Amino acid sequence: HTTYMYVPARSSIMRGCENMCSFCIVPFTRGRERSRPIESILKEIRMLSDQGVKEVTLLGQNVNSYRDLSQTSLPLSFDSNTQLSRGFRTIYHDKDGGRRFADLLDQVSMVDPEMRVRFTSPHPKDFPDQLLYLIRERPNICQHLHLPAQSGNSNILEKMRRGYTREAYLDLVDNIRAIIPDVTLSSDFIAGFCSETDEQHSDTVSLMKRVQYDMAYMFAYSMRKVEYIRTETLWHPYSGLAGFPTC
């Protein structure tokens, strides 16, 4: 009798982030977004499949903004222009060209139909319908989505520079559940963000009750002492050094 150990694998597909949320240091420590070529990732996934791995998680700071600009002979399966979730916006211009996350997920899921595929950590702005329909149609892509909300109040979300309102976020949740009825959802939340009132915090609580997440990571906002260095490259209206809100 042979006993097999179930060990999930992880594959890093991109690094960096360009969202510039006011509470986050990642764009300053990890730099701008850059993605591995799809061929390199597929080679790794095939190797993992040959080793008997039955579950792989695709990793990235903003995993679903993946954009492969390398030369390729593989055809594009989906529109290569930026496709944001409805009602969401970014601080940067649309990025044209390249193979997107839906293309990668499409290719990865076909390597081994018996290998389950997950991904983390996504941003809610990067869930166009084409990605949601792909997740619904492929049985080996796990129907669990992480949707970091951070707050349920639109004014606090604006101060966080998240690029969406409470209403847009809830519309996205409704759209996801309409396309993937059996989906499970998780999220991230920050309590006590700069200037947050009890009433604004209660909006976050009501959002959690409305969505009924299966799991959530919840944190109290941690204050940091920073100096104002007002340069063109580092300072913006809501933050001081390295993106931390100075309250």
Side-chain angles (χ1 to χ4, degrees):
H1 176 72
T2 303
T3 301
Y4 294 93
M5 183 179 295
Y6 178 78
V7 180
R10 296 173 177 83
S11 176
S12 180
I13 67 167
M14 60 87 68
R15 295 184 185 277
C17 182
E18 298 173 9
N19 292 316
M20 300 297 292
C21 300
S22 63
F23 54 80
C24 184
I25 199 173
V26 167
F28 298 90
T29 58
R30 301 294 179 88
R32 301 192 68 174
E33 294 176 3
R34 59 258 190 228
S35 302
R36 285 175 62 192
I38 285 184
E39 288 81 1
S40 170
I41 299 168
L42 293 178
K43 181 178 179 181
E44 181 181 4
I45 301 301
R46 293 188 190 102
M47 179 189 69
L48 293 171
S49 176
D50 292 342
Q51 293 173 352
V53 171
K54 293 301 180 184
E55 180 173 312
V56 63
T57 300
L58 307 179
L59 298 177
Q61 274 83 39
N62 189 22
V63 68
N64 54 340
S65 70
Y66 175 90
R67 178 168 170 255
D68 175 18
L69 295 173
S70 66
Q71 297 295 321
T72 177
S73 59
L74 290 176
L76 290 172
S77 301
F78 301 98
D79 190 345
S80 63
N81 294 325
T82 299
Q83 300 289 325
L84 297 180
S85 307
R86 287 185 291 275
F88 286 65
R89 66 186 188 277
T90 67
I91 66 168
Y92 51 80
H93 296 297
D94 286 352
K95 300 176 181 180
D96 296 331
R99 292 175 293 174
R100 301 306 177 109
F101 185 65
D103 268 294
L104 172 65
L105 197 60
D106 176 41
Q107 298 284 339
V108 167
S109 67
M110 291 191 294
V111 168
D112 181 353
E114 300 301 319
M115 176 188 285
R116 304 203 312 172
V117 181
R118 300 181 183 272
F119 57 89
T120 198
S121 181
H123 191 288
K125 70 177 174 59
D126 294 306
F127 279 105
D129 286 358
Q130 61 189 26
L131 177 58
L132 299 177
Y133 282 114
L134 176 65
I135 295 170
R136 184 186 70 181
E137 292 165 4
R138 295 292 165 82
N140 61 328
I141 301 177
C142 295
Q143 294 189 357
H144 167 259
L145 299 180
H146 188 61
L147 295 179
Q150 306 300 355
S151 174
N153 177 269
S154 293
N155 290 332
I156 294 297
L157 288 170
E158 181 69 23
K159 289 186 175 183
M160 290 178 167
R161 293 168 59 109
R162 290 293 288 170
Y164 53 87
T165 62
R166 172 192 176 95
E167 291 73 25
Y169 183 90
L170 288 173
D171 286 345
L172 173 61
V173 170
D174 291 341
N175 187 50
I176 289 172
R177 285 184 164 148
I179 295 174
I180 314 173
D182 296 326
V183 71
T184 61
L185 300 177
S186 57
S187 192
D188 298 339
F189 291 98
I190 298 174
F193 190 71
C194 300
S195 78
E196 184 181 65
T197 65
D198 288 344
E199 183 179 1
Q200 290 169 329
H201 177 71
S202 69
D203 287 341
T204 298
V205 175
S206 69
L207 180 83
M208 297 178 72
K209 291 179 179 179
R210 161 77 161 75
V211 177
Q212 292 290 300
Y213 299 98
D214 295 88
M215 189 271 287
Y217 298 99
M218 294 169 280
F219 306 91
Y221 179 70
S222 56
M223 295 288 294
R224 289 172 171 83
K225 292 182 179 180
V226 297
E227 298 177 0
Y228 280 102
I229 299 181
R230 302 196 178 199
T231 68
E232 292 181 358
T233 56
L234 287 183
W235 187 85
H236 58 67
Y238 293 129
S239 51
L241 179 63
F244 289 118
T246 53
C247 296

